């Protein structure tokens, strides 16, 4: 069955077509949900909510542009909707003069470790970091998506980068200490 046929059947609430659509796109959409969530359980809930919205709004898809892009946009919006009206999305201060620029140094850190650090960020920082760094949104777009100001977006990004830098530096320092201890024990 072609993608167009599948979409057409989903528009008619065909359960088998919906299941096939889920099987086809859930891995990609789950990775988006995981990127914006604190943990796997929260990501699974967001994926479920996203597909409910997709099934509900698929009649609005007019076959213009990428269908996968349309699905991704719905998924991002569904995940962000949980955070939009939450007070913790706003920065404590919007004084952008105090924003610290974080220099990025090369570090030997695995992608899995970095992703786990990103997931550990407070929601306001994690969401802003993902939207700006990983998805390429501008601060203006982020502020519109989250209902905050451009200054808040910039502040949240700077703080996210600072927290990540501190975590990476701590991890690197711990690795060096463990290496010294192991090396020192072997030569004792």
């Amino acid at each position: 069955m072609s993608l167009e046929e599948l979409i057409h059947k989903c528009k008619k609430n065909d359960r088998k077509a919906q299941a096939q659509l889920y099987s086809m796109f859930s891995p990609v959409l789950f990775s988006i949900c995981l990127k914006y969530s604190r943990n796997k359980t929260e990501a699974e809930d967001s994926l479920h909510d996203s597909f409910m919205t997709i099934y509900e709004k698929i009649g609005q898809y007019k076959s213009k542009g990428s269908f996968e892009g349309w699905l991704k946009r719905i998924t991002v919006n569904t995940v962000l909707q949980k955070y939009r009206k939450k007070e913790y999305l706003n920065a404590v201060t919007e004084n952008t003069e105090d924003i610290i620029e974080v220099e990025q140094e090369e570090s030997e850190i695995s992608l899995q470790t970095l992703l786990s650090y990103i997931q550990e960020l407070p929601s306001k920082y994690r969401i802003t970091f993902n939207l700006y760094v990983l998805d390429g949104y501008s601060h203006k777009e982020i502020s519109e998506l989250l209902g905050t100001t451009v200054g808040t977006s910039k502040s949240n990004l700077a703080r996210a980068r600072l927290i990540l830098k501190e975590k990476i530096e701590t991890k690197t320092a711990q690795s060096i200490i463990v290496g010294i201890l192991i090396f020192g024990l072997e030569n004792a």
Side-chain angles (χ1 to χ4, degrees):
M1 175 179 339
S2 73
L3 182 58
E4 290 79 25
E5 291 172 320
L6 184 62
I7 293 168
H8 180 72
K9 288 185 177 190
C10 285
K11 286 180 178 182
K12 294 186 176 195
N13 291 323
D14 182 313
R15 297 290 181 219
K16 287 183 183 179
Q18 289 174 339
Q20 188 175 349
L21 186 75
Y22 181 89
S23 295
M24 187 181 286
F25 290 102
S26 63
V28 171
L29 300 182
F30 181 70
S31 68
I32 291 170
C33 293
L34 193 56
K35 184 169 58 172
Y36 288 99
S37 301
R38 289 178 292 231
N39 54 51
K40 187 178 176 186
T41 303
E42 189 176 289
E44 289 168 347
D45 289 344
S46 292
L47 180 67
H48 176 265
D49 294 345
S50 296
F51 270 100
M52 296 307 294
T53 303
I54 288 166
Y55 297 147
E56 180 183 313
K57 294 187 177 202
I58 198 161
Q60 297 174 10
Y61 179 69
K62 304 296 181 202
S63 299
K64 293 182 180 177
S66 162
F67 181 65
E68 186 172 334
W70 184 79
L71 294 174
K72 288 177 179 179
R73 205 166 35 257
I74 286 180
T75 302
V76 169
N77 284 330
T78 300
V79 173
L80 294 181
Q81 193 170 23
K82 294 179 179 183
Y83 300 104
R84 252 185 212 117
K85 295 182 181 175
K86 303 286 182 183
E87 193 168 306
Y88 56 78
L89 281 177
N90 296 315
V92 175
T93 178
E94 289 187 24
N95 185 356
T96 56
E97 294 172 14
D98 295 336
I99 293 177
I100 302 165
E101 273 302 314
V102 178
E103 290 183 27
Q104 296 177 341
E105 300 173 9
E106 287 191 35
S107 178
E108 300 274 334
I109 186 166
S110 73
L111 179 59
Q112 189 63 35
T113 301
L114 181 58
L115 289 176
S116 71
Y117 290 167
I118 292 169
Q119 285 183 317
E120 292 171 4
L121 289 170
S123 295
K124 63 184 173 183
Y125 303 147
R126 182 183 66 252
I127 291 168
T128 303
F129 180 86
N130 286 332
L131 286 170
Y132 187 85
V133 175
L134 303 178
D135 292 333
Y137 284 82
S138 70
H139 287 295
K140 183 175 189 272
E141 292 169 321
I142 294 169
S143 68
E144 290 169 359
L145 280 170
L146 300 178
T148 62
T149 66
V150 170
T152 297
S153 177
K154 289 179 180 180
S155 176
N156 288 346
L157 177 63
R159 290 167 199 233
R161 285 181 170 163
L162 184 60
I163 291 168
L164 290 173
K165 180 182 181 207
E166 288 171 355
K167 286 179 180 271
I168 291 168
E169 287 174 348
T170 301
K171 173 78 170 171
T172 303
Q174 288 172 347
S175 296
I176 291 169
I177 292 169
V178 168
I180 291 170
L181 289 174
I182 291 172
F183 183 72
L185 291 176
E186 288 177 354
N187 292 328

